[in-house]
Structures are given as structure tokens and as C-alpha cells.
Amino acid sequence: MIIIMSDTEIIQGKVKTVFTTDEPDVVLIQYEDKVTAGNGRHVDFPEGKGKVCMEISEFLFKKLEKSGIKTHYIDTFPERIMSCKKVDIIPIEVVVRNVAAGSIVRQTTLEEGKIFDEPLVEYFLKDDDKDDPLLTQDRINLMGYGNEIRTLSFHARAINAILKGIFEEIGLTLVDFKLEFGYDSRQNLLLADELSPDGMRLWKEGKSFDKDLFRKGKGDIVESYKYILTELRKLSEQ
Ligand code: 5GP
């Protein structure tokens, strides 16, 4: 049994809270009924959102583990709590894109919906105070993460192939998604954070089933996320 101690350290993220435990290598991550956009400028508290995000993450972490991807996932508990291996997060957000959408459309001449021949892997600084800027290879080298980038790119592409296949099976296009990685106490590189429609774009027949619904005020995210979870669970039953 894992115990949250009185001297537990609490790290408050935008939509998740991380608690240290009596086991130095284990943290508990509580998924909140909260959604933010515009780097925290828009906030809402949809009921059921934490649970569905945790359960989609659990489903996808387990699928990835089965395919040989090392993740921080350990187990889930009531009250939207997931136990995870404690990692030192690499402060680089890895974004994989299969189709042009979001910032790449705003910042380039590419049109939304353009399908890429090969997945594009991009790197952003994980720093809300600086608005998560796009990084260049030279900047990454100067930050001291030059060697890691090849490994992160390799893992991100492998994860993309697996996730894309899973979502295709339920009729959804995995447009893009964000990954975070970290090192555990034994310096193993693990996939961390969460894997839910909060950090990915999923399209079906011209409609979004992800956080863009909230960003653009176009629909109920919890309903869409629950639809995804139900469809994913049907896959396990097959
Ligand atoms: P974009 O660069 O187009 O804003 O985002 C690309 C993909 O990464 C989208 O699926 C988006 O949801 C995800 N993403 C990028 N940055 C973040 C972030 O800070 N938090 C979350 N939850 N997702 C992000």
C-alpha cells in the first residue's frame, strides 16, 4: 500500500496534482476536473473530466507498455489517482504531427489538414511563463539536451506509430500530440505526463474530439472524451 505522508510534497500542475509518497520512487498523480487553454488564461471545471482523462491515459499507457515502450504508469486508484514512477522531467515538450493543425498552421504557410508524408517531430520549451516556445536544434544543443534529442525523436516516432494505429481502429485520425519524457532514479528514460485528448488532436469526419472543442468553444469535451474511452474499451473486448 502506498501512503501519502504528512510531509508529502505537493506539486500543483494546471490540471493535475502530484503527491510524493512514502516510497521515494513513486508519486501519485490526481487528475483534476479542470481544463485550461491559452496557457491557463481560459479555465473551466467540467465534471467527470479528470476521471475520463485518467482512464484514457491508463488505457494508452498499458497499450504502449505491451508494445515495449517504457512509461511511468504503475496503477490507478479511486478519486482519479494514478500511481507513477517518479521521474525528473526533461523540460522539452515533444510534439508529433501527422496532419497540419494548430501552431504549425498559425506560424507557417501550411494549410490546416495537410497530411504529412512523414510524421514531423518538433520540440518546445516546457515553460508556461515563457509560453512554451518552439526550439531550434542549436538552442537544444546549448541547453545541453543535444544528445537526448535523437532518442526522444526515435521514441516519439515509435509511439506515434502505435497510437495512430489504435485510433485508426476506432475511426479517428491522430492529427498531432504532445509527449513529455523523464528519467527515473536509475536513469531509465520513461514516457511521462498524461496521454489523453487534452494533449492530442483527434479528428473524425471533419469534427474534433479533443481539447480544441474547449479552445474554440465548440462543444462538450467530457462527452467527446467519454466517446473515445468507450470506443477504445470496445477494442480490448475484441
Ligand atoms: P500546437 O503546437 O499545435 O499548439 O499543439 C500540438 C499538439 O500538442 C496538440 O495536440 C496540443 O494539444 C498538444 N500540446 C502542445 N502543447 C501542449 C501543452 O502545453 N499542454 C497540452 N495538454 N497539450 C499540448
Side-chain angles (χ1 to χ4, degrees), residues 134-188:
L134 179 66
L135 293 169
T136 62
Q137 182 67 56
D138 286 338
R139 289 181 180 191
I140 292 169
N141 293 344
L142 288 168
M143 283 164 58
Y145 292 100
N147 290 337
E148 259 106 343
I149 282 303
R150 273 189 170 189
T151 316
L152 295 186
S153 165
F154 176 80
H155 286 293
R157 286 169 203 277
I159 292 164
N160 180 50
I162 299 163
L163 295 183
K164 209 173 151 217
I166 292 171
F167 286 115
E168 261 166 22
E169 282 191 75
I170 60 167
L172 288 165
T173 302
L174 178 59
V175 172
D176 57 30
F177 59 98
K178 184 257 304 179
L179 299 173
E180 294 185 22
F181 294 87
Y183 291 103
D184 70 8
S185 59
R186 293 179 182 174
Q187 293 306 301
N188 295 307

Side-chain angles (χ1 to χ4, degrees), residues 2-13 15-32 54 72 74 77-87:
I2 297 163
I3 299 167
I4 300 177
M5 299 187 301
S6 55
D7 62 345
T8 193
E9 191 187 332
I10 299 171
I11 303 148
Q12 191 69 61
V15 296
K16 294 190 291 298
T17 309
V18 183
F19 301 89
T20 54
T21 69
D22 59 333
E23 289 189 35
D25 291 340
V26 178
V27 292
L28 298 178
I29 300 178
Q30 187 167 41
Y31 287 66
E32 311 289 357
M54 185 189 75
H72 71 159
I74 302 174
F77 297 91
E79 302 301 328
R80 305 170 263 110
I81 289 174
M82 179 181 280
S83 60
C84 294
K85 292 169 195 154
K86 188 175 181 186
V87 293

